[in-house]
Amino acid sequence: MSTQHHSAAAFLIGAGMLLVAPTTVMAQSSVVSVQQGGVARWAGKAASECGIYGERYAAVDAVCYYPADIRTTPGAHEIALWDQDGKQHIGTLRVLKTEFPKVEMELEGEAARFVEPSAEDAARAAKEREDVVGILDGTIKEPGFSLPLAAPTASLPKSEDDFGSERTFNGTQKSTHSGRDYPVGAGNTLKAVADGTVVLAADHFYTGNAVYIDHGAGLVSMNFHLESIAVKTGDQVKRGDTIGKVGATGRATGPHLHIGMRWHGKRIDPALLLASPSALPQVSDSTQEALEKIEKAKAREPEETDDTTD
């Protein structure tokens, strides 16, 4: 088999698959299992670039990570890793169907406007959605972070298992909760989980005061319902910098910390990136080991950290 380095033509996009050119050096196929909304990793090969879903992107600290959206189709998806010698290795990400919680919520009084918005509010929300869509895939190519990410608050209590939950408001309006809520009180300081660029800081109808930060390598963090915002669009932030205070603005039943993550546009459980990356399913894992990690991840809680000095 040839030992030539790959060329740009060695990575072709087609129907969500990675098509390998004849000169590409391939490793023996490897398989890793992950739940919908989860993340798998491929370590130990000094990665420079990674590929999945027909896209190619930078590795993080010489490790490849493969996100699976909440709605990624269950089944096999081809993954690739390019090591620092330019050799390509091919594997398979097996996405498992996940049952997410179903939650009934009642919004009363002034909050009912979020269930049946006026024509003016609906038009506002539609315009705000347009502003957000263009930033969710990330635009900064090189990673500005390492894993695990920093905790967003000085202390992070146990969250409800609400990532991916299918919420029904007042028995009618349905919504998929693509972030995670933590019972952090109003006024608590909210911090950036990693270095990055504030790509949007604004007051929106549904999400209230919201801050979106692009951390590079396709990772965008989202912080919603803030009492106040301490940054503006275009600001550069460092890991641990104050970006606002926890609140209950927008469609919220009370003060809480809401954090969400998009990685290459995929909606993933943010708690997975706040915990040690070694807890993620790994390509070298046996099927049983991967399943055990997935089961442990159901708690989806970060390790005890002290980020108060960041």
Side-chain angles (χ1 to χ4, degrees), residues 194-278:
D195 296 359
T197 299
V198 178
V199 287
L200 182 62
D203 175 15
H204 283 176
F205 180 68
Y206 284 115
T207 57
N209 289 322
V211 176
Y212 297 75
I213 303 176
D214 189 332
H215 302 287
L219 181 65
V220 177
S221 64
M222 302 172 289
N223 306 270
F224 297 160
H225 310 302
L226 307 188
E227 176 182 283
S228 61
I229 298 174
V231 293
K232 63 182 183 301
T233 301
D235 281 354
Q236 301 295 313
V237 296
K238 293 291 185 182
R239 175 185 170 109
D241 281 355
T242 296
I243 60 175
K245 292 187 179 298
V246 173
T249 56
R251 188 174 64 186
T253 57
H256 66 281
L257 163 66
H258 172 106
I259 185 168
M261 295 283 176
R262 293 281 185 124
W263 205 350
H264 303 294
K266 311 305 179 190
R267 297 165 293 179
I268 62 170
D269 187 343
L272 297 176
L273 303 191
L274 297 172
S276 170
S278 64

Side-chain angles (χ1 to χ4, degrees), residues 112-193:
R113 66 190 285 243
F114 295 103
V115 179
E116 297 182 3
S118 65
E120 181 181 357
D121 285 338
R124 173 191 171 185
K127 173 61 171 63
E128 292 167 350
R129 189 177 304 112
E130 291 178 2
D131 293 339
V132 168
V133 167
I135 64 176
L136 294 179
D137 287 340
T139 59
I140 303 171
K141 300 305 181 184
E142 295 303 315
F145 64 94
S146 295
L147 297 180
L149 301 175
T153 51
S155 61
L156 199 59
K158 182 177 176 63
S159 76
E160 298 180 8
D161 187 18
D162 61 349
F163 170 74
S165 59
E166 299 175 9
R167 295 178 167 183
T168 302
F169 295 94
N170 297 10
T172 57
Q173 189 180 91
K174 294 184 182 296
S175 173
T176 297
H177 191 239
S178 59
R180 183 170 277 272
D181 291 343
Y182 292 89
V184 179
N188 276 276
T189 298
L190 182 63
K191 302 182 291 183
V193 296

Side-chain angles (χ1 to χ4, degrees), residues 29-32 40-43 66 79 91-92 281-286:
S29 180
S30 299
V31 179
V32 59
R41 68 195 288 260
W42 195 344
Y66 306 98
I79 57 177
T92 300
Q282 154 73 19
V283 164
S284 62
D285 290 343
S286 67

Side-chain angles (χ1 to χ4, degrees), residues 77-113:
H77 301 262
E78 192 170 71
I79 57 177
L81 177 155
W82 285 268
D83 64 31
Q84 292 175 6
D85 292 326
K87 297 178 181 178
Q88 186 188 44
H89 308 265
I90 297 296
T92 300
L93 179 72
R94 186 169 58 209
V95 178
L96 308 177
K97 183 173 176 55
T98 304
E99 294 298 327
F100 293 106
K102 291 180 172 55
V103 180
E104 300 282 340
M105 304 184 73
E106 292 293 325
L107 299 180
E108 302 176 343
E110 178 65 20
R113 66 190 285 243

